[in-house]
Amino acid sequence: MPVAGICLLPAALAVRLAAGVPLWAAYGLWCASAVGYGMRPVQRAIARLLWPIRRPTQAERRRLERVWERVVAHAGVGGRRFTLLIVELPEVNAHSIGRDLICVTTGALAQLGDRELAGVLAHELGHHLRMHTSASAFLVWVLLPLQGVALVGNLLAAPAVALAHRLARRRPEHRFAHACARVSSRLGDAIRAVFAAPGAAAFAAKNAAGRSAEYRVDAFAVEVGLGAELLSALRWFAAGERAGGERSCAPAQCGRVRRGRARHAAARIPRPTHPPLDRRMARIAARVELARSDA
């Protein structure tokens, strides 16, 4: 937040000069908007923007409620505070959003058994109970100024990049022009790197925290007695990977649907927020075995 606040300062100063809005009001509005971003109606609107979500049909609802009741009974929590939605995508995936939304793809309903689906839903429930999704939504909104700074860097680097392309295209064999094109291209890359560095560092830290969170919610599934079900689901995806990727990306492994299927780039581009499947399976198997021996 301090870095994002510094990045927001030029815009806040511009608003102050143009409209007389004090800095404290600008920053207060920024913080208020971050809180509003985590509200349920806003989260649903964003989910509809990113994915083709809908309410489950009667048959889908019956199956989801049957599996979900088992999950919340194991976890000892009330299931009514959460909303289960369907994503019209053939990929097998599931993800949690905001405070209480859990989205399951039609591919997951079609290809996963009730046992594997229970393990996946237990994993997503763990994200909500550990407040991972709320924190992630807040961070994404707060870090938007860093992305704005990166955009400014791209705009500032555009002339140098355009000059490099023009020199390389018009005089490809001229030694001096080639040297100027190379210098201009490297200058543009340097400008972009400097302006993108704060956002890259912040999102790298966020992704590292996300990988740690995956291990914690895997442990949560084991604690509530659904570790074997989650392990079965992950083994299903691992078998698909070994078979050449015919099966879709794993729920809670890719975290997002595959490229070109979602409505927005934020949902299409995979983020390195999840550890490798083999490591997760090894840890879950060890925890399940330990739980069985203790029992």
Side-chain angles (χ1 to χ4, degrees):
M1 285 189 67
V3 177
I6 294 173
C7 293
L8 192 64
L9 183 60
L13 290 174
V15 172
R16 179 182 179 182
L17 293 175
V21 178
L23 291 179
W24 65 266
Y27 279 101
L29 179 62
W30 173 50
C31 293
S33 65
V35 174
Y37 181 72
M39 298 179 65
R40 182 184 300 172
V42 179
Q43 289 294 321
R44 289 197 179 191
I46 293 173
R48 290 191 179 94
L49 176 66
L50 296 178
W51 297 284
I53 66 170
R54 60 170 174 80
R55 293 184 180 276
T57 64
Q58 185 174 1
E60 292 168 340
R61 183 182 298 108
R62 284 197 298 267
R63 185 188 178 199
L64 282 174
E65 286 179 351
R66 182 176 68 250
V67 177
W68 183 243
E69 286 175 1
R70 179 189 175 194
V71 172
V72 296
H74 275 262
V77 299
R80 292 187 176 181
R81 57 172 279 203
F82 301 99
T83 302
L84 299 178
L85 299 174
I86 302 298
V87 184
E88 281 283 357
L89 289 172
E91 288 83 1
V92 179
N93 205 351
H95 48 270
S96 48
I97 303 173
R99 294 181 301 156
D100 54 13
L101 299 182
I102 296 179
C103 298
V104 181
T105 64
T106 52
L109 291 177
Q111 300 184 53
L112 291 181
D114 286 0
R115 186 169 183 265
E116 289 75 21
L117 187 60
V120 170
L121 291 180
H123 179 98
E124 300 303 329
L125 176 63
H127 277 305
H128 280 301
L129 296 182
R130 298 293 187 267
M131 300 295 291
H132 296 160
T133 52
S134 297
S136 177
F138 178 78
L139 282 174
V140 168
W141 185 258
V142 168
L143 294 177
L144 282 178
L146 302 183
Q147 295 177 296
V149 170
L151 179 60
V152 171
N154 288 336
L155 294 176
L156 293 177
V161 175
L163 176 60
H165 289 167
R166 180 174 297 181
L167 290 173
R169 184 175 63 254
R170 292 188 176 181
R171 302 191 174 205
E173 297 181 358
H174 195 283
R175 182 176 299 179
F176 180 73
H178 180 72
C180 291
R182 186 169 62 247
V183 171
S184 181
S185 178
R186 290 182 177 177
L187 176 62
D189 292 341
I191 293 174
R192 280 198 298 256
V194 168
F195 279 81
F203 279 100
K206 178 179 176 295
N207 291 338
R211 289 189 290 272
S212 176
E214 291 303 311
Y215 287 127
R216 290 198 294 273
V217 292
D218 285 346
F220 167 82
V222 177
E223 291 170 5
V224 300
L226 294 172
E229 286 77 357
L230 177 59
L231 183 59
S232 178
L234 295 183
R235 284 172 174 167
W236 189 90
F237 295 107
E241 289 183 355
R242 289 192 294 269
E246 294 181 0
R247 295 178 180 178
S248 305
C249 57
Q253 169 65 17
C254 294
R256 294 293 184 268
V257 293
R258 289 191 298 183
R259 183 182 301 272
R261 299 301 184 94
R263 291 174 176 168
H264 193 273
R268 295 196 305 265
I269 301 173
R271 300 286 183 180
T273 57
H274 294 75
L277 271 176
D278 55 349
R279 293 185 184 179
R280 291 179 61 192
M281 290 190 297
R283 293 195 180 194
I284 294 172
R287 289 180 180 272
V288 169
E289 187 63 29
L290 180 61
R292 287 174 178 171
S293 62
D294 290 342

